[in-house]
């Protein structure tokens, strides 16, 4: 696949991927966990059988499970899932650079599947589509789809052009691998854990051409340098000079092309001053486009205003992202849907859409399944940060001016049922690697 916007890029050879051993979270701690996993250690771990089942109290109590784990290791399959949710154990994620909340990997997410929420979505007023009209596709160009790996089966339709793999990493992060099926080239979004990403690239037998980074925070960009080292010629796109291994700084509304896939760069400063979202579509496709929203828009929430203002976030949510087609699939940067919807229910206790979506999200959380993607249309039904003109939301904040409502909502959310304090993932890794040992030794 040629990068039309910026010229061709040298491939990341499959042989190099087989040799790739590093990439965030490796070292003595990773070897210890690998050995423990081989020996069948672990208690109360959820096993990823792709059917929403919980894996008992550890494989050491089930000989068959232990043997199956050894066979999977030998065959290099790991625990990538079977295309029906693909959950993985926390210890596998720790080995690759972080905990991972049950290893939520929704193998491939279907655009043509029914919406993930269990309630009907009433039509919204049409919003202008700020991009050029889509011409009819050329003969033999195929169809754009995100093939479903979760409940609902395989979508109808002929050979597809694009699929998105949802990969859970660290404590609650998502990174994504977008595959152009016709050419078998791939683009990663927010490559936080390189070893995990390269294993999927190798298994899918694709060539990694580029990385799109939404912002510079370590849990979204820390894998860039390792990937650039292992894949000579890899292009790293982003809008902030603080992004590691950045090769191409993109501008607001700049368009990139990867084969049949178009990417529009949507500048959304606030969470960070250089935050960029990525909107992907294929010309002539009847299927919904995809939005990779990083830490600007979440399912049921929005990002913190670390380096920006309420005015900026209001513009991001209403004029930049809110103007996209209402059927756009939203792939966000974190799994925090249940917590977001609990806050949304506090804001609008009578909102039936919030109640039903929260019940659905809790079930997905119990089964270690991802709650992404949602759609933009759904977000306007239950996301309070997109409902700042609703009477109930204004009553909750005591404000009426939309920006002030948004500002008050963010303040309330920041103080809403903060989770128990837990060690920072980087500190956990440092303890694992023994970096603090000299300071802890008794004199």
């Amino acid at each position: 696949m040629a990068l039309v916007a910026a010229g061709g890029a040298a491939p990341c050879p499959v042989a190099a991927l087989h040799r790739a051993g590093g990439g965030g979270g490796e070292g003595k701690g990773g070897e210890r966990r690998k050995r423990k996993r081989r020996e069948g250690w672990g208690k109360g771990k959820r096993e990823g059988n792709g059917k929403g089942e919980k894996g008992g109290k550890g494989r050491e109590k089930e000989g068959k499970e232990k043997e199956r784990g050894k066979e999977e290791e030998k065959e290099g399959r790991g625990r990538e899932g079977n295309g029906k949710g693909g959950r993985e154990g926390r210890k596998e994620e720790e080995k690759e650079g972080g905990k991972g909340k049950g290893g939520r990997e929704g193998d491939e997410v279907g655009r043509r599947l029914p919406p993930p929420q269990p309630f009907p979505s009433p039509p919204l007023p049409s919003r202008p589509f700020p991009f050029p009209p889509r011409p009819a596709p050329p003969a033999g160009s195929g169809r754009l789809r995100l093939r479903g790996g979760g409940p609902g089966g395989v979508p109808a339709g002929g050979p597809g052009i694009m699929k998105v793999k949802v990969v859970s990493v660290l404590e609650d992060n998502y990174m994504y691998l977008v595959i152009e099926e016709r050419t078998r080239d791939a683009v990663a979004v927010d490559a936080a854990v390189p070893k995990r990403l390269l294993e999927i690239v190798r298994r899918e037998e694709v060539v990694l051409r580029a990385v799109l980074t939404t912002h510079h925070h370590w849990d979204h960009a820390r894998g860039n340098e390792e990937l650039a080292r292992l894949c000579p010629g890899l292009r790293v796109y982003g809008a902030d000079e603080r992004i590691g291994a950045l090769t191409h700084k993109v501008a607001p509304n700049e368009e990139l092309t990867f084969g049949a896939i178009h990417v529009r760069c949507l500048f959304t400063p606030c969470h960070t001053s250089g935050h960029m979202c990525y909107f992907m579509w294929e010309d002539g496709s009847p299927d919904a486009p995809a939005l990779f929203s990083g830490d600007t828009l979440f399912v049921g929430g929005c990002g913190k205003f670390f380096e920006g203002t309420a005015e900026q976030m209001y513009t991001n949510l209403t004029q930049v992202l809110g103007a996209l087609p209402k059927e756009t699939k939203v792939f966000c940067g974190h799994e925090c849907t249940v917590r977001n919807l609990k806050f949304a229910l506090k804001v609008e206790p009578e909102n039936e859409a919030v109640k039903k979506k929260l019940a659905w999200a809790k079930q997905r959380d119990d089964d270690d399944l991802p709650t992404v993607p949602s759609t933009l249309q759904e977000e306007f039904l239950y996301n309070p940060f997109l409902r700042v003109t609703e009477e109930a939301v204004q009553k909750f904040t005591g404000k009426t001016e939309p920006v002030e409502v948004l500002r008050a909502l963010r303040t309330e959310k920041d103080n809403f049922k903060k989770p128990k304090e837990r060690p920072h993932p980087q500190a956990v890794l440092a303890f694992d690697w023994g970096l603090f040992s000299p300071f802890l030794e008794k004199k």
Side-chain angles (χ1 to χ4, degrees), residues 84-114:
K84 293 184 179 180
R87 303 187 307 279
E88 299 188 3
R90 286 183 172 84
K91 291 184 179 177
E92 184 69 12
E93 286 297 352
E94 289 178 5
K95 175 176 75 70
E96 291 158 356
K99 283 188 175 180
K101 189 171 184 180
R104 306 160 186 263
E105 181 179 342
D107 193 307
E108 297 127 12
V109 181
R111 286 185 179 171
R112 298 189 64 80
L113 295 177

Side-chain angles (χ1 to χ4, degrees), residues 156-327:
I161 290 296
M162 184 175 86
K163 70 179 179 182
V164 171
K165 296 190 70 65
V166 179
V167 186
S168 173
V169 291
L170 305 176
E171 181 66 23
D172 59 9
N173 280 76
Y174 283 126
M175 65 180 181
Y176 302 97
L177 185 68
V178 183
I179 299 173
E180 218 265 24
E181 292 189 289
R182 186 175 56 183
T183 61
R184 305 306 296 166
D185 288 340
V187 178
V189 180
D190 284 352
V193 181
K195 182 177 184 294
R196 174 67 183 276
L197 180 66
L198 293 178
E199 287 175 350
I200 297 174
V201 166
R202 180 179 67 246
R203 192 191 73 221
E204 292 288 325
E205 298 181 343
V206 297
V207 177
L208 183 63
R209 297 289 185 178
V211 173
L212 305 177
T213 304
T214 59
H215 60 293
H216 76 282
H217 286 166
W218 78 276
D219 58 331
H220 294 259
R222 73 169 193 168
N224 291 357
E225 290 89 347
E226 183 75 0
L227 289 172
R229 182 180 68 81
L230 294 170
C231 303
L234 182 71
R235 297 182 180 273
V236 178
Y237 295 85
D240 195 322
E241 295 288 352
R242 294 173 290 182
I243 293 173
L246 185 69
T247 62
H248 291 75
K249 186 175 181 180
V250 294
N253 295 319
E254 181 176 348
E255 187 174 313
L256 312 172
T257 306
F258 302 95
I261 301 169
H262 298 276
V263 181
R264 179 63 61 93
C265 303
L266 303 177
F267 190 48
T268 54
C270 183
H271 182 71
T272 67
S273 59
H275 195 290
M276 188 71 76
C277 296
Y278 299 99
F279 178 76
M280 294 189 187
W281 79 96
E282 184 213 7
D283 287 337
S285 171
D287 297 300
L291 171 68
F292 297 90
S293 58
D295 285 3
T296 292
L297 175 64
F298 296 129
V299 180
C302 75
K304 292 185 177 182
F305 306 169
F306 284 138
E307 298 179 359
T309 64
E311 287 80 5
Q312 286 178 315
M313 185 59 79
Y314 179 74
T315 298
N316 295 338
L317 297 178
T318 61
Q319 299 178 28
V320 180
L321 305 185
L324 298 174
K326 62 181 180 294
E327 69 273 14

Side-chain angles (χ1 to χ4, degrees), residues 347-348 384 387-406 408-409:
V347 176
E348 294 185 274
R387 296 171 58 80
V388 293
T389 59
E390 296 292 327
E391 182 179 352
V393 179
Q394 294 182 349
K395 181 179 179 181
F396 174 81
T397 61
K399 310 288 183 182
T400 56
E401 201 279 320
V403 172
E404 293 304 317
V405 174
L406 184 64
L409 280 175

Side-chain angles (χ1 to χ4, degrees), residues 388-443:
V388 293
T389 59
E390 296 292 327
E391 182 179 352
V393 179
Q394 294 182 349
K395 181 179 179 181
F396 174 81
T397 61
K399 310 288 183 182
T400 56
E401 201 279 320
V403 172
E404 293 304 317
V405 174
L406 184 64
R407 193 192 319 277
L409 280 175
R410 185 65 259 176
T411 300
E412 290 289 335
K413 179 63 167 60
D414 290 342
N415 297 316
F416 175 73
K417 289 185 180 179
K418 290 184 178 180
K420 294 179 181 179
E421 291 296 328
R422 55 194 173 196
H424 194 280
Q426 285 180 318
V428 172
L429 292 176
F431 274 107
D432 256 349
W433 295 339
L435 300 181
F436 292 127
S437 298
F439 305 100
L440 299 176
E441 291 176 355
K442 294 182 179 179
K443 294 183 179 179

Side-chain angles (χ1 to χ4, degrees), residues 64-83:
K64 288 185 180 180
E65 293 296 325
K66 180 177 178 181
E67 291 303 319
R68 185 175 63 186
K70 290 180 179 179
E71 290 173 5
E72 287 177 355
E73 254 187 27
K74 292 176 183 177
E75 294 170 6
R77 289 182 295 169
R79 298 191 192 287
E80 295 302 337
N82 62 3

Side-chain angles (χ1 to χ4, degrees), residues 336-374:
C336 50
T337 303
V338 170
R339 188 164 68 250
N340 288 342
L341 291 173
K342 285 180 178 179
F343 174 72
L345 189 61
K346 179 181 179 181
V347 176
E348 294 185 274
E350 303 302 320
N351 188 326
E352 291 299 320
V354 174
K355 294 177 183 178
K356 292 179 181 179
K357 186 71 175 183
L358 177 57
W360 175 86
K362 285 180 176 179
Q363 184 60 55
R364 300 284 288 186
D365 188 71
D366 288 343
D367 294 337
D368 281 334
L369 295 172
T371 61
V372 294
S374 65

